Amino acid sequence: MIGGSVIFWLLLLASGNEKCRVYGLNSGHWNISVLMILLFIGLYLLRFLIASAFRGRLSEFGKIIANPATWSMFFTVLMNFFISVVAFFGEEYGWRYYLQPLLQKKFGLKGGVILLGCVWAVWHLPIDFFYYTTPDMGLTALASQFVTCISLGLFMAYTYMKTQNIWVPIIIHFLNNNMAVVFSGTYSADVLQNQQIHWGDIPVALVINLLLFGWVIFLKSFKEKKE
């Protein structure tokens, strides 16, 4: 991944501004883009706070937030974006830049994004069964994945529609995958493996994720324009 990311940056720099513009890779609208990224970080931490409260671990979460090692690790993770970018660029250029506009054109601004969230969830199926959980909990993990990919997909779609800057969902995707490692307090990717996910967790996750990330579907960006 590091080697691929280095090659990616070299090729991007060598492509020139005009070619990057044609392929939607020019960074733009960075004022609103930074706000969207900060909004995601805030909502993500709020979700972690609520989840900790439900599990009776609020004081533990407070200790993690107060620990200087947490923030040191957080900024280290941010720097790691540059040497792992190729994976997140690959997904988001496919999902948000290419597939989202196609599905929205065919199924509407809202329906297209919801369908994309379903496709994105199914794409995770192998790691739901064999990485995030064990095969006996695979179906539960897949159901949880639908909740995450649809709700988070709505938010990421909104940020892209609002900014027209593909780097925003790329960065958000990177943060979403790595912040759990930091704010779980383990500072290790092992926290993502062999999770215990039960059917009773799904309704709570659905409500929390829709309230925190799904509300964007009611904003102006998702309103269909009259012909």
Side-chain angles (χ1 to χ4, degrees), residues 1-6 9 78-86 174:
M1 187 181 293
I2 293 174
S5 296
V6 170
W9 289 120
L78 291 182
M79 294 301 101
N80 285 344
F81 171 76
F82 297 99
I83 58 174
S84 61
V85 65
V86 67
F174 167 81

Side-chain angles (χ1 to χ4, degrees), residues 103-113 161 217 219-227:
L103 293 180
Q104 286 185 308
K105 185 175 181 180
K106 190 170 181 64
F107 299 102
L109 295 179
K110 298 175 183 177
V113 172
M161 294 160 67
I217 200 171
L219 297 180
K220 185 177 179 181
S221 297
F222 279 100
K223 293 191 177 185
E224 304 284 352
K225 295 179 181 179
K226 294 181 180 180
E227 294 292 337

Side-chain angles (χ1 to χ4, degrees), residues 126-138:
I127 56 176
D128 285 332
F129 278 79
F130 302 108
Y131 180 74
Y132 292 142
T133 62
T134 50
D136 59 306
M137 288 189 172

Side-chain angles (χ1 to χ4, degrees), residues 2-222:
I2 293 174
S5 296
V6 170
I7 293 171
F8 169 81
W9 289 120
L10 292 174
L11 292 175
L12 189 67
L13 290 171
S15 296
N17 288 334
E18 181 58 27
K19 190 171 287 187
C20 286
R21 185 190 64 77
V22 170
Y23 287 95
L25 297 176
N26 268 358
S27 57
H29 303 97
W30 273 110
N31 288 338
I32 185 66
S33 296
V34 170
L35 287 177
M36 292 292 103
I37 293 167
L38 292 176
L39 175 60
F40 171 76
I41 293 173
L43 292 173
Y44 186 98
L45 289 176
L46 180 57
R47 184 178 65 178
F48 229 113
L49 176 66
I50 294 171
S52 298
F54 267 102
R55 293 169 186 162
R57 299 178 180 174
L58 202 54
S59 60
E60 185 179 325
F61 180 72
K63 291 177 183 176
I64 292 170
I65 292 294
N67 189 348
T70 299
W71 298 102
S72 174
M73 179 60 68
F74 178 66
F75 289 111
T76 300
V77 164
L78 291 182
M79 294 301 101
N80 285 344
F81 171 76
F82 297 99
I83 58 174
S84 61
V85 65
V86 67
F88 303 97
F89 168 81
E91 274 204 62
E92 289 309 312
Y93 199 70
W95 298 132
R96 245 56 63 177
Y97 182 80
Y98 174 73
L99 193 54
Q100 178 178 314
L102 289 180
L103 293 180
Q104 286 185 308
K105 185 175 181 180
K106 190 170 181 64
F107 299 102
L109 295 179
K110 298 175 183 177
V113 172
I114 292 172
L115 180 57
L116 175 57
C118 294
V119 174
W120 192 20
V122 173
W123 186 82
H124 286 88
L125 190 148
I127 56 176
D128 285 332
F129 278 79
F130 302 108
Y131 180 74
Y132 292 142
T133 62
T134 50
D136 59 306
M137 288 189 172
L139 285 176
T140 319
L142 181 61
S144 178
Q145 195 71 254
F146 269 91
V147 170
T148 300
C149 289
I150 292 173
S151 57
L152 188 59
L154 284 167
F155 185 81
M156 293 170 75
Y158 168 72
T159 64
Y160 179 56
M161 294 160 67
K162 186 76 175 175
T163 64
Q164 289 301 301
N165 183 352
I166 193 59
W167 290 100
V168 175
I170 291 171
I171 293 170
I172 288 176
H173 194 153
F174 167 81
L175 289 170
N176 182 71
N177 285 28
N178 287 276
M179 284 172 70
V181 174
V182 177
F183 293 102
S184 65
T186 63
Y187 312 131
S188 169
D190 291 343
V191 71
L192 302 176
Q193 293 182 265
N194 301 319
Q195 299 174 54
Q196 297 292 307
I197 303 176
H198 304 282
W199 286 109
D201 300 328
I202 306 301
V204 175
L206 178 63
V207 171
I208 292 174
N209 278 277
L210 288 179
L211 286 176
L212 291 179
F213 298 115
W215 56 273
V216 296
I217 200 171
F218 299 108
L219 297 180
K220 185 177 179 181
S221 297
F222 279 100

